[in-house]
Amino acid sequence: MDLRHLRYFVAVADEQNFTRAAEKLHISQPPLSRQIQDLEEELGLALFERGSRPLKLTEGGRFFYGHATRLLEQAAQAIRTTKRIAQVQRRLVIGFVPSTIYGALPRLVRLFRAAQPQTELALVEMSSVEQIEALKNGRIDVGFGRVRLDDPSVKREILREEALVAAIPMEHELAQERGPLSLTEIAKHDHLVYPRNPRPSYADQVLALFRDLGLEPRTVYEVQELQTALGLVASGMGLCLVPASANRMRPDEVIYRPVAEAKAVSPIIMSTRIHDQSADIVLLRSLIDDIYREWAQERQRVAMTRRFLS
């Protein structure tokens, strides 16, 4: 049995007539009748009620018709998908942790698509831990995370150390001041960390900052997502240390203050397969350098303007 048998059978069932089915298939009727007979012999049952006008399916024929049409549609879908994929010269899949979406990632994606329109680009949200396995099994080609994880088959590069800021409820006493805030002062208040799992995660980085100074936040609440954490900050549940690039979120409900300690940073880590030097990966890395160079130049211009105005 092959797809030709299924197509012939479905055509006869649809037309309810061997002659019309043969015309539709652009073959003569005798070969069509033989193919249907061969199919019935292989199945060990009659598919049509011979002698009926119009031609009717047997009970077994009706059952087989449903499966045959689905199989033909699946085959057609496989062909269409294969042709579509063949038209795409390359495909690059990026895994990312949610907090990187507020930094350079959106601009990186726009620049890459403009420079390499023939490469299909896909983004998949996943934790730093999940990215390592996804790289090894080929589900993604590059990952942007925040947790330092060692694996001999994965190349890791710290792109930058992003400063952390304290997210504070609008009505909180610490929101009334400006300037850097020490971890000692932050630890006196309830604190939100994320993600709850999988671990290790950014939550462990934050808690380690306190413990390295012999500190423990008054109460620690674990939540799953950055957006949830900031929503709870806005509702007055506590404070939260977040990457500085996230300070655009909830500007009318949350105050952001810099953290005094220089070590209060979170790395942005680019991970790839150890020997992957594809043209797309090389281009992606070059665009990252361009973005960070532009940002540095912009900071210099802002600093010069401030000095001039002062």
Side-chain angles (χ1 to χ4, degrees), residues 224-238:
Q224 191 58 34
E225 298 178 349
L226 167 61
Q227 294 90 338
T228 304
L230 290 178
L232 292 175
V233 169
S235 68
M237 282 287 293

Side-chain angles (χ1 to χ4, degrees), residues 14 29 42 45 66 77 86 89 115 140 142 154-155 160 187 191 207 216 219 225 230 236 243 256 267 310:
D14 288 343
Q29 183 174 335
E42 184 171 350
L45 57 86
Q77 178 62 40
Q89 293 184 13
I140 66 172
V142 59
V154 174
K155 175 186 176 182
R160 68 183 305 205
H191 201 79
L207 295 175
E216 288 286 345
T219 304
E225 298 178 349
L230 290 178
Y256 296 93
S310 62

Side-chain angles (χ1 to χ4, degrees), residues 280-310:
D280 289 334
I281 295 295
V282 171
L283 173 61
L284 200 71
R285 185 64 187 84
S286 174
L287 292 174
I288 291 170
D289 286 340
D290 292 343
I291 291 172
Y292 286 155
R293 190 181 303 112
E294 290 176 7
W295 285 4
Q297 292 171 352
E298 179 62 26
R299 286 195 295 269
Q300 290 177 352
R301 286 194 293 269
V302 171
M304 292 177 62
T305 300
R306 287 176 176 172
R307 285 197 295 270
F308 176 77
L309 294 176
S310 62

Side-chain angles (χ1 to χ4, degrees), residues 158-229:
I158 297 177
L159 300 176
R160 68 183 305 205
E161 297 279 3
E162 185 174 6
L164 302 184
V165 296
I168 307 168
M170 186 71 71
E171 304 302 324
H172 196 279
E173 59 187 86
L174 296 179
Q176 311 311 314
E177 306 173 16
R178 294 294 181 267
L181 189 60
S182 72
L183 289 172
T184 300
E185 184 62 29
I186 294 171
K188 296 176 183 177
H189 305 272
D190 296 341
H191 201 79
L192 292 138
V193 297
Y194 66 90
R196 183 186 301 111
N197 54 65
R199 305 296 273 269
S201 71
Y202 173 76
D204 299 295
Q205 290 182 357
V206 169
L207 295 175
L209 287 174
F210 290 108
R211 289 168 185 157
D212 287 348
L213 297 175
L215 302 171
E216 288 286 345
R218 186 170 66 184
T219 304
V220 175
Y221 300 103
E222 296 185 357
V223 298
Q224 191 58 34
E225 298 178 349
L226 167 61
Q227 294 90 338
T228 304

Side-chain angles (χ1 to χ4, degrees), residues 126-180:
M126 56 177 59
S127 71
S128 298
V129 174
E130 292 168 334
Q131 288 177 25
I132 300 300
E133 287 305 313
L135 280 167
K136 291 163 66 175
N137 63 32
R139 288 192 295 121
I140 66 172
D141 301 296
V142 59
F144 293 103
R146 292 190 178 273
V147 180
R148 294 175 170 88
L149 299 168
D150 290 320
D151 191 290
S153 61
V154 174
K155 175 186 176 182
R156 298 177 304 116
E157 181 182 1
I158 297 177
L159 300 176
R160 68 183 305 205
E161 297 279 3
E162 185 174 6
L164 302 184
V165 296
I168 307 168
M170 186 71 71
E171 304 302 324
H172 196 279
E173 59 187 86
L174 296 179
Q176 311 311 314
E177 306 173 16
R178 294 294 181 267

